[in-house]
Amino acid sequence: MTTPPGPRPFATRRLDLVPLDPVYADEMAVVLADPGLHTYTGGGPEDARALRARYARQAAGSPDPAELWWNWVLRVRAEGCLAGYVQATVRGPRAEVAWVVGSGWQGRGYAKEAAAGLVRRLLDGGAVRTVVAHVHPEHTASAAVAAAAGLEPTAEREDGEVRWRREAPGGARPGHARE
């Protein structure tokens, strides 16, 4: 089982997940403009220019060949607009995932749908055996997304956030310790 070289488009019931490209920066700057999106993660909204530069770095990939950066924007098929993003940092058999849905699209289940689709895609590929997310302990909406994606909270903390985890069926591959 090999890990694919980069993100490929895929779809869920209502969303098209499209590999990140700097051309999406203008629309995503509007989607991510609410400072409230940064309540638990810190920082603040970026303008289109800053997003374009960040997206170019992310789309180019990690400078570490042992680490893959896979990022997708979420296109709501029925509306033809972007609503957020999901991402996975893949290192060997482990992927760390995250998701953000713009305030104007929250409450519709898009984050749950996208995160569940991402986790399923990662685990179905065979190379990823463990999926991890880090969720602020007070961010109940993000915890609900993690649970909907099949992740379970652990007793582990990283930078004050709860580590959520899901193992591929059968657990870790032989020769690879569980983390």
Side-chain angles (χ1 to χ4, degrees):
M1 289 174 268
T2 60
T3 304
R8 294 202 171 107
F10 68 101
T12 63
R13 187 171 61 82
R14 300 175 296 163
L15 303 170
D16 291 321
L17 287 83
V18 182
L20 182 70
D21 188 288
V23 300
Y24 300 124
D26 290 332
E27 187 174 356
M28 288 300 291
V30 175
V31 170
L32 304 174
D34 181 1
L37 292 175
H38 303 272
T39 300
Y40 299 104
T41 59
E46 294 179 285
D47 63 22
R49 182 178 171 193
L51 273 181
R52 193 171 297 105
R54 180 160 56 94
Y55 289 177
R57 287 189 307 275
Q58 290 175 317
S62 171
D64 179 350
E67 183 174 272
L68 303 171
W69 293 347
W70 293 344
N71 300 276
W72 294 264
V73 292
L74 311 177
R75 178 174 288 122
V76 179
R77 200 172 303 115
E79 298 176 33
C81 65
L82 300 180
Y85 65 87
V86 294
Q87 59 189 37
T89 300
V90 181
R91 185 176 269 292
R94 182 176 188 254
E96 290 202 21
V97 298
W99 48 82
V100 174
V101 169
S103 298
W105 293 268
Q106 291 179 3
R108 302 181 199 181
Y110 293 144
K112 289 178 179 178
E113 183 176 328
L118 173 61
V119 169
R120 188 171 42 256
R121 183 167 181 90
L122 290 168
L123 294 176
D124 285 352
V128 171
R129 305 300 299 162
T130 303
V131 177
V132 172
H134 297 94
V135 177
H136 189 282
E138 296 175 12
H139 198 330
T140 56
S142 197
V145 171
L151 282 74
E152 296 179 351
T154 69
E156 301 167 59
R157 301 288 185 271
E158 186 172 319
D159 296 327
E161 294 184 320
V162 177
R163 179 173 289 164
W164 289 65
R165 180 190 332 262
R166 179 173 172 183
E167 299 285 342
R173 287 190 323 208
H176 290 83
R178 288 186 182 211
E179 299 175 8

